[in-house]
Amino acid sequence: MYVCMMCAAELQLSENQLTSLPAELQQLRELRRLDVSHNRFSIFPEAVFQLPALATLNASSNAIVAVDAERYSGMEALTDVDLQQNPLAEAVHSAAGGLSRPRVRLSPWQEHFQDME
């Protein structure tokens, strides 16, 4: 049986203690769902922005403090982003929460996260 990895529609990478994603991830042009939750990301994985078919992203429960939330708007297929349980900087939290599309799920911002900015 032939399996086309470049044609994968879903990739489950949760709970692997990842701190980054390889640039080669962008070769998964058909990827629609990506789960990188429960890892050790502190910076949002840049490779995610290069996935044209991505519709659902779960990046919850990491240590992400920074992400250029406005870049989500340029991802035409993206409809749902889960960033809950991340210590996002206040400005990032506000920008992501203010997007009309995609839907971005956030935990309530907590003032003690400000020390991480």
Side-chain angles (χ1 to χ4, degrees):
M1 174 177 13
Y2 173 75
V3 177
C4 176
M5 290 304 294
M6 300 315 228
C7 302
E10 184 169 346
L11 186 56
Q12 171 62 265
L13 296 174
S14 66
E15 300 183 30
N16 282 295
Q17 299 190 19
L18 299 174
T19 58
S20 64
L21 292 174
E24 291 80 9
L25 184 74
Q26 68 186 350
Q27 295 174 7
L28 300 176
R29 310 301 284 173
E30 302 300 319
L31 191 66
R32 297 199 36 79
R33 287 183 295 288
L34 176 61
D35 186 343
V36 293
S37 65
H38 299 275
N39 278 294
R40 302 174 98 193
F41 294 102
S42 59
I43 298 172
F44 191 81
E46 183 68 25
V48 169
F49 293 116
Q50 306 303 318
L51 299 170
L54 191 66
T56 303
L57 171 64
N58 183 354
S60 65
S61 300
N62 278 282
I64 298 170
V65 293
V67 61
D68 186 354
E70 293 180 12
R71 288 183 69 189
Y72 292 140
S73 297
M75 298 177 71
E76 294 180 18
L78 191 62
T79 59
D80 186 59
V81 178
D82 188 345
L83 290 173
Q84 296 178 90
Q85 302 302 312
N86 280 291
L88 296 169
E90 184 177 17
V92 174
H93 194 278
S94 296
L99 293 175
S100 59
R101 192 202 65 74
R103 182 183 110 180
V104 180
R105 289 182 276 157
L106 303 165
S107 298
W109 188 79
Q110 297 179 21
E111 195 166 321
H112 69 269
F113 289 157
Q114 191 165 357
D115 296 335
M116 298 178 157
E117 291 185 52

